[in-house]
Amino acid sequence: MIRTRRRFLVTAGAVVGAAMSAAVELSARERVSAENAWVPWAPPTVEVHAAYMTIVNRSNEDQSLVSAESPDYQRVELHSSSVKNGVNEMRGLERVAVPANNRVTFEPGGLHLMLIGPKRPRAVGDRVRIVLRLQNGEPVEVSAIVRRRNAESPVGHDHHGAHQ
Amino acid sequence: MIVKQRHILAAAAVVAAIACATIAAARVDGVILDRAAQVQGFTLEDHSGKPFTADSLKGHWSLILAGFTNCPDVCPFTLANLEQVVAELGLRVRPDHLPAVIFLAVDPDRDRANLKDYVVQFHPDFIGVTGAIDEIDRALKGLDAVAVRSKPDARGNYSVSHSAAVAVVDPQGRLAAKINPPFDPPPTAEFLADLFRRRVEPR
């Protein structure tokens, strides 16, 4: 019994070790990454979509997102929604700061990527490729999954979405 | 025995903590008008091209939000929440008391072409309504709501700012309440069920 358990622990340790070394390798190349990225499904006639995600900065330097593009859309803009005096406003942002060792969440009703002019219809489960650009010119690759707004969160199935 | 009892208490404390956290996270910001205000006349069209007037609001409860179809974030987020609110309400009120959900599209030039698709993606019974700007503004006024269209940029793109609140119109066609975001479905449904009950039951 004890032996079995120990072997299990050793195996688990090896898996964790492998995962950690993969993470280290990734963080050197992608110190800023996008996690749990998704695009709400919209009917084909709708010309403007949104993308939501969490941007994680694992570096010791403050970073900023300054632009975004997608081969699947004519244009991508950084946007923020807010309510002022009971009125919904949406404005474009020049940059979105992602402080060192911190994260910024793009979520409904707040920060979002505005995806303008879809080049083809998207089905639930499809992937949308987005490239975010940092202030130093480095790209951050995003693979966002298309899902319905009221569907269960893809968290848990999509942790590696940004790394595909 | 004592140990077991303590365990149960601890479990109860955890459950209580979770319950509190849920209550804190889910809330509703609703205001019931002291005197419901009749929504004055307007003439618009629904997403199938049929006339939609102030009289179309009579005979049932309505939840009305202003928005536009080039709105990718707040409007769909609100519509998706209202779909869940109505589903939650289905557990609390009679089917004939369930409200109609009406999306008042305030950017007709861009909204007409895709209004139906935009609205029914959330529920086949949701109704998109639009029309001439002055008729839209008349409807907005009756709902104590506003819409402001921004000046187009160099590319000809513009945005539309609009009231965030959802207007609640009673079966007599009167503005009865307003709900401000967030529209967390369970407390919003509870707020509405309570409002509907007050109006149905004699005091």
Side-chain angles (χ1 to χ4, degrees), chain B residues 59-116:
Chain B
H60 54 80
W61 287 91
S62 302
L63 306 178
I64 309 177
L65 73 148
F68 61 113
T69 61
N70 270 30
C71 165
D73 179 46
V74 169
C75 307
F77 181 45
T78 305
L79 283 164
N81 274 331
L82 291 182
E83 189 270 328
Q84 288 189 305
V85 166
V86 175
E88 288 272 346
L89 262 177
L91 306 172
R92 293 172 167 85
V93 303
R94 279 166 35 184
D96 55 330
H97 289 170
L98 284 176
V101 175
I102 296 157
F103 181 74
L104 175 55
V106 299
D107 185 18
D109 289 350
R110 296 190 296 191
D111 291 338
R112 275 204 177 89
N114 56 16
L115 184 56
K116 181 177 181 181

Side-chain angles (χ1 to χ4, degrees), chain B:
Chain B
M1 191 56 201
I2 287 168
V3 172
K4 194 177 277 180
Q5 211 160 314
R6 200 177 291 159
H7 188 105
I8 289 167
L9 276 180
V14 168
V15 170
I18 291 169
C20 288
T22 309
I23 290 162
R27 58 194 181 90
V28 59
D29 178 3
V31 180
I32 297 175
L33 276 65
D34 288 337
R35 288 183 65 180
Q38 197 68 44
V39 177
Q40 296 303 314
F42 59 82
T43 304
L44 297 168
E45 286 182 1
D46 72 12
H47 64 231
S48 303
K50 285 183 289 190
F52 191 99
T53 68
D55 280 344
S56 308
L57 299 174
K58 292 179 181 166
H60 54 80
W61 287 91
S62 302
L63 306 178
I64 309 177
L65 73 148
F68 61 113
T69 61
N70 270 30
C71 165
D73 179 46
V74 169
C75 307
F77 181 45
T78 305
L79 283 164
N81 274 331
L82 291 182
E83 189 270 328
Q84 288 189 305
V85 166
V86 175
E88 288 272 346
L89 262 177
L91 306 172
R92 293 172 167 85
V93 303
R94 279 166 35 184
D96 55 330
H97 289 170
L98 284 176
V101 175
I102 296 157
F103 181 74
L104 175 55
V106 299
D107 185 18
D109 289 350
R110 296 190 296 191
D111 291 338
R112 275 204 177 89
N114 56 16
L115 184 56
K116 181 177 181 181
D117 286 350
Y118 188 86
V119 172
V120 301
Q121 64 170 305
F122 299 98
H123 195 285
D125 293 341
F126 283 11
I127 302 166
V129 167
T130 195
I133 292 280
D134 55 344
E135 292 294 327
I136 291 170
D137 287 345
R138 203 172 299 186
L140 286 168
K141 195 177 173 198
L143 301 168
D144 191 29
V146 294
V148 180
R149 298 153 194 93
S150 74
K151 282 185 187 149
D153 65 14
R155 291 195 189 93
N157 295 307
Y158 59 96
S159 187
V160 185
S161 300
H162 52 86
S163 293
V166 168
V168 184
V169 175
D170 71 16
Q172 289 78 45
R174 300 176 303 180
L175 177 63
K178 290 170 76 171
I179 310 171
N180 297 304
F183 308 99
D184 288 327
T188 305
E190 197 54 55
F191 171 83
L192 289 169
D194 185 51
L195 173 66
F196 297 176
R197 247 178 255 130
R198 285 190 207 195
R199 288 305 187 79
V200 173
E201 290 163 11
R203 301 195 181 193

Side-chain angles (χ1 to χ4, degrees), chain A residues 5 10 18 21-22 35 37 45 47 51 61-64 67 78 83 93 99-100 113 132 137 143 147:
Chain A
R5 188 176 288 173
V10 169
S21 66
E35 296 181 355
T45 53
E47 290 285 301
E61 295 162 30
D62 292 344
Q63 305 280 355
S64 295
S67 67
L78 302 166
V83 178
L93 301 172
L113 294 182
L132 306 173
S143 173
R147 68 172 174 92

Side-chain angles (χ1 to χ4, degrees), chain A residues 39-54:
Chain A
V39 171
W41 178 84
T45 53
V46 174
E47 290 285 301
V48 184
H49 303 166
Y52 304 109
M53 64 197 68
T54 301

